[in-house]
Amino acid sequence: MPTRNPTASLPRAAEAEQPAPRGVYAELIQLARSSASQHAFYGRALRCVARICASPYAVLHVALGSEVLQDECHFGPGDPALWKARVQRHLTEGLSERRVRATLLGARGAELRMCLVSTPLFSPEGASIGALAMIFPVDETDARPRVAFVESLAAMISYAAGHLGAPAGPPPATTAPDESIGRAAGFSTMEELAFNITNALRARLKCDQAALSLAQRQRVRILSISGLDDVRHNSPGAARIRSAMEECLDHGAFIAWSSPASIGADSMAGAHRLHRAWSEAAGGASVVSIPLFAGPRIAAILSLRRAPDRPFRADEIERIQKSVSPYAPALLLLRRATRGVLAHACESTKAALAALLQPGKAGRKVAIAVAVALAAWVAFGTLPYRITAPCVLAPAKARHVSVPFDGILASARVVAGERVRAGDVLCELDRRELELQQAEIQAQLAVAEHERLRAMAERSPVDAALAESNERLLRTRLQIVESRIERSRIRSPIDGIVVAGDLRQRVGGALRMGEPCFEVAPLSDWRVEVELPQYAAADVLIGQPGAYVDQARPEQPRALRIARVAPKSEAREGRSVFIAEAEVSLESDWLRPGMEGVARIEAGPRPVWWLAAHRVIDYLRANFWL
């Protein structure tokens, strides 16, 4: 399969100083062999990696027993303070999460970007002891292989720390599987890398078959079997290899099996049933499964098969395990890089939960628990839906007082806002002419009475009847005039307050019959006119409860109940509103018609998310046809 050098896309500024891939790992081994202490090795390794990656700033944090090593370096003419805070923060996050973290930085439209990476470091025994973080320039197309290359360098640093102070000289050929580890970052999928590894190991270790699988929880997934372009997972041969790999995963250490005729003194054969079944199915071949660790956990399983007369020995298995272990981080990184959106979301959630469940960080746990509870409440909880709208106080049963007949206004006793009782005079019309008519009719009535008496004395029944009829007519006219005189004093029909009417400026002027002059409202019967906006008009129904506060006394809320909702809108102060009339019980001396306030209507429970977003959703639907 085609491979490419992972360092071929490094910036040109670093190409002149960069050794070949194999030389990079060999140089780290040589640094470990020539270092007198772990502090010296890790410091030199940090500078070697930063130089290879052309990093303007790199930092390393390692816990060595009771001591902590914190070292930093930079290359190039730039000011390292530009990146220091960001890289240090990335290092801190990497120490807490214990996994590879990468962030791509860059301006819009720029071809060259900066990649910020933190990767964990492990002891030769596999325990997490620290992390390495750096920033380096990348092209957008080679960011992923460059991150994998840095991760492999960190894995090699962890591996090389086990050779501290060993005799100088070139490393044995078995410490690394040739250039394969250097090319690991150049593959785009796990299957491509696994295919390269298994075929290279089959050739160099002279095996009949090599298989590599990825360990996930307590199961394995075979990535490649040497000599096969496509692995058929349901085939009997693949099923036997997978069963043996899972047996090794459960065991937590390598498992070797050879036929009884070929067992030597130092053979690692054991009573492992699945490996024995694999060996018997292959004609008694020697088989071995080797776990590959990425930090404290098993990341992959390597299984090898060769002739029965060549059993796997313990020292050989240990050399193979050490040489192939650097592949494990690359496999995990490729798996993360090629996973789908759903898998990425699931694994990110699991990682966040794992980090949350670690000891300590009580404040963060409480904050996240509160946030989760709040999110659940927003998604599934309900709250009362309260519609708030301006309102106006108005009398429920106002009485209108009008002019009883044409006349001249003589006086105005009250104005709007004054309290009155039933029968109080509101205004008076000029009755002088009526009084003259009254005197005239009274005189005529006296004359008619004398004529009736004279006719009766003269015993003239006809004249007496005429005089009596004339007398009744005059009495009727007198009653009409007296009634007008009485009605010229316009009185209040009820106890209450004068809502409208001020005739002081019209004294002496003529008033037409039926012309309204006053409006009187009772003090104990009020209604509230709520000006509903259009979006809330459909949510307000008759009988819904609510509360009302007046701007003059906002500290005194009063209960109300919707009695009527107008079927059409009205224009008030430039707004189109629907008027809802509400019944309210008010008995206060300071209340006046026309007072403004605020009404809050209970429209029933609604989901919390709907209450927070329905106005925005309605706006988008109305304006963008969503």
Side-chain angles (χ1 to χ4, degrees):
M1 295 182 66
T3 62
R4 59 187 179 93
N5 193 327
T7 62
S9 58
L10 286 171
R12 295 179 179 177
E15 287 179 355
E17 304 179 11
Q18 177 184 304
R22 179 185 176 117
V24 174
Y25 304 104
E27 182 177 354
L28 291 174
I29 293 290
Q30 194 63 29
L31 287 176
R33 294 177 183 276
S34 61
S35 297
S37 65
Q38 290 182 323
H39 289 77
F41 166 67
Y42 282 111
R44 296 171 66 185
L46 172 66
R47 284 156 178 80
C48 175
V49 173
R51 174 176 53 82
I52 295 302
C53 296
S55 172
Y57 182 80
V59 62
L60 176 142
H61 179 99
V62 180
L64 302 174
S66 60
E67 300 181 9
V68 175
L69 170 63
Q70 180 92 20
D71 198 0
E72 60 183 14
C73 67
H74 75 279
F75 288 91
D79 184 7
L82 179 64
W83 306 106
K84 184 174 181 178
R86 190 183 291 270
V87 177
Q88 290 281 1
R89 184 167 61 252
H90 214 67
L91 174 69
T92 303
E93 295 173 354
L95 287 171
S96 63
E97 297 183 9
R98 299 180 181 179
R99 63 183 180 90
V100 178
R101 301 181 73 258
T103 304
L104 192 61
L105 309 175
R108 182 179 298 177
E111 295 182 0
L112 189 64
R113 301 189 177 187
M114 302 298 290
C115 186
L116 187 61
V117 176
S118 66
T119 178
L121 295 174
F122 301 95
S123 66
E125 293 77 21
S128 175
I129 59 174
L132 167 69
M134 65 171 60
I135 189 166
F136 51 86
V138 294
D139 292 335
E140 188 173 359
T141 57
D142 71 340
R144 184 181 298 171
R146 288 293 302 279
V147 172
F149 179 59
V150 172
E151 186 177 7
S152 67
L153 291 177
M156 181 55 73
I157 292 175
S158 302
Y159 168 75
H163 295 268
L164 192 67
T174 57
T175 57
D178 295 322
E179 295 89 359
S180 295
I181 192 169
R183 298 195 301 268
F187 296 93
S188 58
T189 64
M190 294 185 297
E191 288 75 10
E192 292 180 10
L193 175 58
F195 184 86
N196 184 275
I197 294 172
T198 53
N199 285 279
L201 290 176
R202 177 189 178 189
R204 296 200 175 274
L205 299 178
K206 296 180 174 56
C207 295
D208 296 335
Q209 193 177 59
L212 185 64
S213 67
L214 186 70
Q216 297 176 306
R217 301 181 183 89
Q218 292 303 115
R219 303 298 299 270
V220 299
R221 180 166 68 91
I222 299 178
L223 301 176
S224 175
I225 299 177
S226 61
L228 299 179
D229 293 333
D230 183 23
V231 179
R232 298 184 179 276
H233 298 278
N234 295 327
S235 65
R240 293 190 190 95
I241 296 175
R242 184 173 60 252
S243 299
M245 289 178 169
E246 291 179 351
E247 186 178 41
C248 175
L249 180 62
D250 294 337
H251 185 62
F254 67 84
I255 299 176
W257 175 267
S258 298
S259 63
S262 60
I263 296 177
D266 57 352
S267 176
M268 299 303 298
H272 297 287
R273 181 175 58 85
L274 298 179
H275 279 74
R276 184 174 62 215
W278 180 23
S279 174
E280 293 174 354
S286 300
V287 296
V288 64
S289 294
I290 305 171
L292 305 181
F293 289 86
R297 71 184 186 91
I298 299 176
I301 303 292
L302 173 66
S303 293
L304 303 173
R305 175 174 64 84
R306 63 188 183 191
D309 58 348
R310 297 179 59 210
F312 292 94
R313 301 183 181 276
D315 56 346
E316 182 184 9
I317 294 172
E318 185 176 356
R319 287 195 303 271
I320 295 173
Q321 186 177 29
K322 288 185 177 180
S323 64
V324 184
S325 290
Y327 283 114
L331 285 171
L332 294 179
L333 182 62
L334 285 173
R335 175 178 172 272
R336 287 195 297 270
T338 56
R339 59 191 168 178
V341 176
L342 181 59
H344 177 81
C346 293
E347 292 186 8
S348 298
T349 303
K350 291 178 182 178
L353 291 175
L356 179 63
L357 296 177
Q358 291 180 355
K361 302 179 181 178
R364 180 181 298 181
K365 293 179 180 179
V366 172
I368 293 178
V370 172
V372 171
L374 180 61
W377 175 68
V378 170
F380 305 105
T382 59
L383 279 177
Y385 178 33
R386 296 185 174 97
I387 300 172
T388 303
C391 59
V392 178
L393 186 64
K397 298 178 181 178
R399 297 288 298 272
H400 295 271
V401 180
S402 58
V403 179
F405 52 86
D406 295 345
I408 305 298
L409 180 63
S411 65
R413 301 284 185 90
V414 298
V415 295
E418 293 187 12
R419 295 177 182 272
V420 295
R421 293 183 177 277
D424 289 352
V425 177
L426 303 179
C427 65
E428 292 183 278
L429 299 178
D430 188 357
R431 57 180 180 272
R432 289 176 297 178
E433 184 176 350
L434 293 176
E435 290 176 348
L436 292 176
Q437 292 180 5
Q438 181 185 24
E440 179 183 3
I441 295 175
Q442 287 176 346
Q444 293 177 355
L445 182 60
V447 172
E449 186 177 357
H450 285 294
E451 289 182 353
R452 178 177 60 80
L453 292 174
R454 183 177 59 83
M456 292 176 63
E458 294 178 355
R459 296 183 179 181
S460 176
V462 176
D463 292 339
L466 290 175
E468 186 178 359
S469 299
N470 188 31
E471 184 180 353
R472 286 197 300 268
L473 176 62
L474 290 174
R475 289 185 185 279
T476 303
R477 290 177 57 192
L478 179 61
Q479 291 176 354
I480 293 174
V481 171
E482 288 177 347
S483 174
R484 286 193 173 188
I485 291 174
E486 176 60 26
R487 287 188 295 155
S488 66
R489 295 182 180 89
I490 301 176
R491 303 176 185 274
S492 172
I494 58 174
D495 294 341
I497 186 172
V498 178
V499 176
D502 186 359
L503 302 179
R504 290 177 298 178
Q505 304 298 324
R506 300 186 61 179
V507 174
L511 298 179
R512 296 288 184 182
M513 184 177 63
E515 181 178 349
C517 55
F518 293 98
E519 183 178 351
V520 183
L523 296 175
S524 60
D525 197 0
W526 299 90
R527 62 185 173 90
V528 175
E529 294 182 352
V530 185
E531 300 175 359
L532 297 175
Q534 294 190 29
Y535 72 87
D539 297 323
V540 178
L541 303 175
I542 296 175
Q544 287 179 337
Y548 157 78
V549 293
D550 196 276
Q551 292 182 357
R553 297 289 190 274
E555 72 280 1
Q556 299 178 9
R558 291 174 171 82
L560 60 80
R561 185 171 297 277
I562 301 298
R564 177 179 175 273
V565 180
K568 60 180 296 186
S569 62
E570 297 181 10
R572 290 197 177 183
E573 298 181 0
R575 298 180 297 115
S576 180
V577 297
F578 286 82
I579 302 301
E581 296 181 2
E583 298 174 350
V584 60
S585 178
L586 299 173
E587 292 184 2
S588 298
D589 296 339
W590 52 267
L591 290 174
R592 297 292 184 273
M595 282 186 169
E596 296 181 349
V598 178
R600 187 180 65 188
I601 302 170
E602 301 289 343
R606 296 288 193 281
V608 177
W609 66 265
W610 183 88
L611 292 176
H614 78 281
R615 295 291 302 279
V616 176
I617 295 174
D618 292 345
Y619 175 82
L620 294 176
R621 287 175 175 172
N623 292 274
F624 298 98
W625 294 81
L626 297 179

